[in-house]
Amino acid sequence: MKRGLRPEELKLWAIVAATVRPAAGRSAPAEPPHSQAPTAPGPPAPIAAPAPTVRSKPRPAPAVSAPADIEPGRKRRIVRERDPIDRTLDLHGLDQDRARAALLGFLSHAQSQGERAVLVITGKGSRGDGVLRRHTPDWLADPSLRPVVAGWSFAHRRHGGEGAIYVALKRRG
């Protein structure tokens, strides 16, 4: 069973309906059916006080702006191998310092060769939280790589899944 409109709702509808003009060739909308209004007016509705404004602390800006994710269309083309993965870097067996140096040099060299997409294999680690897998996104956000890296995304399962990363490179300028 539908409930009838309250008097406040009828007033509000009348205000809204007064602002509407019918389209050419149409008649004005009929007034909504009045619900059974109470015979004796009840106590006036309490006026709602404006909600207090809560001022939260401003969020601190990220220290380093990380490159954005690869555009969805570009990632789809890489996954379906319509855009080739030009080079692959395997970081297995390297410690953090060597892996970072290898990654920075690899990406700079790949961009200088005009390559647009590379695959970096980090591995997952023994429990799925490998050190290289965890740190590689931070390394990709390095300020020295801003002119090189357009974006990154974890790879599709056929290319290594969570243990590999697609890196989109900017055009050399």
Side-chain angles (χ1 to χ4, degrees):
M1 175 179 208
K2 287 185 177 180
R3 74 168 177 83
L5 295 175
R6 295 185 198 125
E8 308 88 49
E9 294 170 332
L10 288 171
K11 289 178 187 175
L12 181 61
W13 176 253
I15 292 170
V16 171
T19 64
V20 177
R21 280 190 263 145
R26 301 255 178 151
S27 61
E31 288 190 28
H34 294 328
S35 64
Q36 297 176 356
T39 55
I47 298 174
T53 56
V54 178
R55 294 186 183 209
S56 61
K57 295 179 182 176
R59 293 182 186 165
V64 176
S65 64
D69 286 338
I70 298 175
E71 307 93 40
R74 186 170 184 191
K75 182 177 178 182
R76 191 176 318 112
R77 289 189 307 269
I78 292 171
V79 169
R80 293 180 180 173
E81 298 176 354
R82 292 199 173 110
D83 278 359
I85 296 173
D86 298 312
R87 287 187 186 214
T88 301
L89 172 66
D90 191 348
L91 298 176
H92 281 106
L94 299 177
D95 63 11
Q96 288 183 51
D97 294 330
R98 288 186 181 154
R100 183 169 191 230
L103 178 67
L104 297 177
F106 172 77
L107 293 175
S108 297
H109 181 69
Q111 185 198 31
S112 69
Q113 297 298 313
E115 294 164 355
R116 302 280 293 140
V118 296
L119 180 69
V120 178
I121 300 171
T122 62
K124 292 184 192 176
S126 60
R127 287 178 264 151
D129 63 343
V131 174
L132 298 180
R133 178 178 172 262
R134 219 176 30 240
H135 288 294
T136 302
D138 296 333
W139 298 338
L140 292 171
D142 188 276
S144 65
L145 287 179
R146 282 190 193 138
V148 178
V149 176
W152 67 272
S153 179
F154 286 109
H156 186 270
R157 190 172 64 201
R158 79 175 76 177
H159 293 127
E162 296 288 317
I165 296 175
Y166 298 128
V167 181
L169 302 175
K170 294 180 179 178
R171 295 185 194 276
R172 57 184 166 175

